[in-house]
Amino acid sequence: MTTGVIIALIVIVAAVVVVAVVLARRRPGGQDLKRRFGPEYDRTVARHDGDSQAAERELAERVDKHGSLRERDLEPAQRQQYEARWAAAQERFVESPREAVSEADRLLAEVAGARGFPDGGQYEEQLAALSVHHAHHVHGYRRVHRVAHMRTEDGAQGGTEEMREAMVEARALFEELVGAGGRRRELTESSSGDRSARHNGHGHLPWAFSRRQAKGS
């Protein structure tokens, strides 16, 4: 084997090693994915019937595709409008839970789109992007979307309690999307007491009402 061939082989091997190192750094491993996705990691593993490697490939692909997304801040008027619509949906739930859940589903898609995530018309793509940046609350959107589109054999939607639980869980993602960008400056300039008062004054009423409060439950 000539010296030239040996040098060429060394160069090729070195290049392969460099590429492997770059890819390893670029793509997070299992522990990194667990930390980043939290409960979403476990749900993905369960959906793959316990195959953690398949789940990690899916989650890593989500990070590769959506990890560089930069969320846009909401304008104050936008934020107030979204908050008012969510508060109205919560109030409407007592008399019309189906309409309230459908509005919550539409509103989450709209707010996510306004923050820079894929358009709500691409639900799966939007959900995947949200899972990368809001992993701990994205399941609320998944639940409320599923319930909003659920139909039983007799044509009725899911039970009232199921709809209520979905809306309660979805509210956490809504508040994170509305508050993360739009309120950053407000929160840093106020005390915890003022923050609580302003929070209640913008439509975020404590909402985990009992079953007796929802019609038909």
Side-chain angles (χ1 to χ4, degrees):
M1 186 178 292
T2 66
T3 302
V5 173
I6 293 173
I7 293 174
L9 289 174
I10 292 173
V11 171
I12 292 171
V13 170
V16 170
V17 171
V18 170
V19 170
V21 170
V22 170
L23 291 176
R25 290 179 177 177
R26 180 170 176 261
R27 175 159 287 194
Q31 291 302 317
D32 291 334
L33 291 169
K34 284 182 179 181
R35 284 193 296 269
R36 177 163 195 160
F37 284 93
E40 182 69 6
Y41 177 94
D42 295 328
R43 282 188 290 266
T44 307
V45 171
R47 194 170 64 252
H48 283 277
D49 298 322
D51 187 340
S52 60
Q53 290 186 341
E56 288 169 8
R57 281 196 298 271
E58 178 185 328
L59 294 175
E61 287 171 3
R62 294 190 206 176
V63 174
D64 286 346
K65 190 169 186 179
H66 303 292
S68 61
L69 183 149
R70 294 293 177 263
E71 297 181 63
R72 297 191 295 262
D73 286 356
L74 298 176
E75 295 295 328
Q78 265 185 311
R79 187 170 68 250
Q80 292 174 8
Q81 182 184 51
Y82 289 139
E83 289 174 337
R85 285 174 59 188
W86 188 274
Q90 290 181 171
E91 294 175 2
R92 189 182 309 145
F93 187 93
V94 177
E95 296 297 328
S96 303
R98 296 184 190 180
E99 293 178 11
V101 168
S102 295
E103 170 66 2
D105 180 43
R106 287 191 297 268
L107 190 51
L108 280 171
E110 188 175 331
V111 174
R115 291 297 309 274
F117 289 93
D119 183 79
Q122 310 170 61
Y123 165 72
E124 293 294 342
E125 195 74 8
Q126 189 182 67
L127 187 75
L130 283 167
S131 75
V132 173
H133 296 271
H134 299 277
H136 289 272
H137 298 304
V138 69
H139 191 58
Y141 183 21
R142 184 183 287 116
R143 284 192 68 185
V144 85
H145 184 81
R146 183 177 65 243
V147 173
H149 293 81
M150 182 187 299
R151 293 292 183 275
T152 58
E153 292 181 358
D154 60 0
Q157 226 169 3
T160 302
E161 178 62 12
E162 184 177 6
M163 288 188 281
R164 185 194 70 84
E165 290 177 356
M167 277 202 70
V168 169
E169 188 171 358
R171 179 171 174 259
L173 177 62
F174 172 80
E175 290 190 338
E176 192 165 277
L177 287 173
V178 170
R183 291 197 179 174
R184 191 176 295 122
R185 288 182 295 276
E186 293 179 49
L187 293 179
T188 57
E189 294 171 358
S190 63
S191 66
S192 59
D194 291 338
R195 188 161 61 237
S196 176
R198 182 171 60 252
H199 183 71
N200 287 335
H202 278 289
H204 286 264
L205 301 176
W207 195 69
F209 53 73
S210 67
R211 301 181 186 184
R212 293 191 301 273
Q213 290 176 283
K215 184 177 181 181
S217 54

